[in-house]
Amino acid sequence: MNGRVLRIELRRSVAPWAGVVVLVPALAFLYLLDGAWWSGTTAWTAQWTPMAMWTRSLLFYQWPLTIGLGALQGLRDHRSKMSELLTSTPRPARHRAATLAGATAITLASAFMFLVLVGGVQVLTHTEYTHLGWLPISLVGVLFLVAGAVLGMGAARALPSPLTPPALAMGAFAFTALMYMSLGRTATDTTDGLTITEPNRISLLSPAVEDMRQAFVTLSASVHVGQTLWLLGMTATGFALLVAATPRARLTALTPVLAGAVIALLVLPADARRMYVVDKAAAELVCDGPVCVTKTQQARLADLAGPGKEALRLLHGALGDQAPDSVRENTAVLPEGSTPQWSRETVLLDFDDDIVAATKGQELTRALIAKGMVPGCTPVGWSGFGGDEYAQTVAVGWVLGDLKPLGGTSARMRSTVEAETRPVWKKLKALPRAEQLSRINAMRAAALSCEGSPFDVLSGGASR
């Protein structure tokens, strides 16, 4: 396919519109709507892997649209009533199919990579950590768009009806929705009586990815390989349907996509913990004495080191040998809805935690003391406000000798926090020192094990 043929094909096809549909709504979605992709360490412009994952997540709606647009393109010869004329020309059908598919593939790939480029330029200004581990995520995203468009073209050539494009688009959208909500997820009950869901192997046949919760979590190599095999089979089937001239040839053309799906399911991991894995290079710790962060957040170490060391000193003065001896960014990857896991020896922090993200200097020291005393037992990925936050406020007040709401507490909740914690703090401070320490240790035991209510312990109630 030379440049002249490509230019003609671009002028007379819907390929440019397919590129517009991929690029313009995606930019509008990312820039005009305020969502998780704009906040915290996993913002789409904060780190390379989150940028790739957030742009890839847009395939939830882009992929069905490209299948529908591909089908519309595949109907062109049928609509112009020139199918018989084209079959009578000496030019092989595969050449015409390659021109048709190539123009659309180039446009879709260019539009998606331009979207990635827009995010990448901003990431360069926001992080010191650069790597290429994000690239396979985006390349597989491009392949999803190209494979979907080619499959749509082939399906419309095989079923030349005006209903084919909308039917394919709606079918693809229903497929991605089912993969994300029910068919592609496995439900399990935890020991706490909660039901959590995790993606299963079948869900990886969908282009969509899970929401980003940690900047150093990425897709595993086996996911990339399995999805690539599935998409190559899909592309081969779409191209074969474009050139097939008989019902038997069209039936045979389905073989690649079916074989690709079977082989992909054999390659794709069954365990969710092998689908979304920790990028070990990104999660490698960078330390200043006892205070450590991951490489993705190494720019924050200078601001964290001083408050972190001061928090450890104050905790040791208050708790003695029971105090933690290090501060470290939490790199544990747990299923959404599961119970957090904490360490007695280490203060584990998350830069997206409300009381950590909103503070600096002395307030950050208070936040780290709070995390060392009561890390919080809200299930992973959930949010809430209550007993743990009250216990943190009282515990920090006990260590520092003054009671006030922690940084990151909203203005409308400050009066509630004051009303709930002031009586408990006064009651605790009125006890003999040995009894105060005993109650604080019991509170920490409940907080670290996520069994019982730390605030009830401080109030003089049972720990369970």
Side-chain angles (χ1 to χ4, degrees):
M1 180 171 58
N2 57 41
R4 179 173 175 273
V5 173
L6 177 60
R7 288 193 298 272
I8 293 173
E9 187 62 35
L10 288 173
R11 286 199 303 269
R12 64 194 295 262
S13 71
V14 300
W17 292 106
V20 170
V21 165
V22 167
L23 182 60
V24 175
L27 289 174
F29 183 87
L30 291 171
Y31 279 100
L32 299 181
L33 298 180
D34 186 17
W37 50 90
W38 271 119
S39 61
T41 60
T42 58
W44 84 289
T45 57
Q47 300 285 340
W48 289 102
T49 299
M51 181 274 296
M53 295 287 274
W54 280 118
T55 51
R56 173 78 176 269
S57 69
L58 297 176
L59 294 183
F60 183 88
Y61 80 88
Q62 288 174 333
W63 188 63
L65 286 177
T66 55
I67 290 179
L69 288 169
L72 187 63
Q73 177 77 330
L75 287 177
R76 185 181 62 186
D77 294 345
H78 177 74
R79 291 197 311 269
S80 59
K81 296 181 172 51
M82 56 185 300
S83 300
E84 293 184 5
L85 175 62
L86 291 174
T87 55
S88 66
T89 61
R91 188 182 182 192
R94 63 180 182 275
H95 288 183
R96 295 194 303 273
T99 301
L100 183 68
T104 302
I106 291 172
T107 305
L108 289 172
S110 300
F112 190 79
M113 293 314 295
F114 183 80
L115 177 65
V116 171
L117 178 63
V118 170
V121 169
Q122 297 176 84
V123 170
L124 281 173
T125 65
H126 291 153
T127 183
E128 298 177 0
Y129 178 65
T130 58
H131 62 103
L132 294 178
W134 60 273
L135 194 55
I137 301 172
S138 295
L139 291 178
V140 173
V142 170
L143 190 54
F144 259 109
L145 292 175
V146 172
V150 174
L151 181 65
M153 293 177 198
R157 185 68 61 86
L159 299 170
S161 166
L163 298 178
T164 299
L168 287 176
M170 291 302 298
F173 183 78
F175 174 77
T176 58
L178 286 173
M179 290 296 105
Y180 191 78
M181 293 187 297
S182 57
L183 187 59
R185 304 192 71 84
T186 301
T188 56
D189 294 327
T190 68
T191 55
D192 300 328
L194 300 174
T195 299
I196 62 175
T197 63
E198 295 180 285
N200 58 33
R201 180 189 283 128
I202 299 176
S203 70
L204 296 175
L205 299 179
S206 164
V209 294
E210 295 285 286
D211 292 342
M212 284 296 296
R213 294 204 313 267
Q214 292 164 303
F216 42 79
V217 172
T218 187
L219 291 169
S220 66
S222 57
V223 171
H224 298 318
V225 173
Q227 289 183 333
T228 299
L229 292 172
W230 155 240
L231 295 172
L232 289 177
M234 187 186 300
T235 305
T237 287
F239 191 81
L241 288 173
L242 272 176
V243 301
T246 64
R248 182 175 181 179
R250 294 187 184 105
L251 189 61
T252 304
L254 299 178
T255 302
V257 70
L258 296 176
V262 172
I263 297 173
L265 290 174
L266 294 175
V267 173
L268 292 170
D271 187 353
R273 293 165 185 78
R274 292 175 53 227
M275 300 174 191
Y276 295 88
V277 297
V278 172
D279 182 340
K280 293 182 179 179
E284 183 179 341
L285 295 179
V286 180
C287 300
D288 182 344
V291 181
C292 301
V293 298
T294 63
K295 274 192 174 181
T296 60
Q297 305 301 328
Q298 58 189 0
R300 300 189 182 208
L301 181 58
D303 293 333
L304 179 68
K309 293 173 184 177
E310 178 65 8
L312 292 175
R313 184 187 69 80
L314 292 169
L315 284 169
H316 187 269
L319 299 175
D321 294 339
Q322 298 295 316
D325 54 18
S326 63
V327 175
R328 179 169 60 82
E329 185 179 354
N330 192 0
T331 57
V333 178
L334 301 174
E336 183 171 1
S338 61
T339 301
Q341 298 175 3
W342 304 115
S343 167
R344 182 178 293 277
E345 293 78 22
T346 303
V347 178
L348 297 174
L349 77 142
D350 183 346
F351 284 108
D352 289 329
D353 189 286
D354 290 341
I355 67 171
V356 174
T359 55
K360 291 183 179 180
Q362 292 183 350
E363 285 299 318
L364 181 54
T365 298
R366 294 177 64 90
L368 293 174
I369 293 173
K371 298 303 291 184
M373 298 291 279
V374 185
C377 290
T378 301
V380 175
W382 296 15
S383 60
F385 193 94
D388 283 347
E389 288 71 26
Y390 301 152
Q392 286 176 340
T393 303
V394 174
V396 174
W398 179 80
V399 172
L400 299 180
D402 66 326
L403 183 73
K404 65 178 183 178
L406 295 169
T409 304
S410 63
R412 68 183 184 85
M413 292 301 300
R414 286 179 177 267
S415 59
T416 302
V417 171
E418 174 71 15
E420 292 286 342
T421 59
R422 180 68 64 176
V424 175
W425 183 70
K426 288 182 177 180
K427 183 179 178 181
L428 178 66
K429 294 292 287 184
L431 297 173
R433 178 66 184 181
E435 192 170 342
Q436 290 181 34
L437 185 58
S438 175
R439 190 169 291 188
I440 287 292
N441 286 332
M443 176 213 68
R444 286 194 75 219
L448 292 169
S449 65
C450 289
E451 295 179 356
S453 169
F455 191 58
D456 285 347
V457 176
L458 285 176
S459 303
S463 63
R464 285 174 134 347

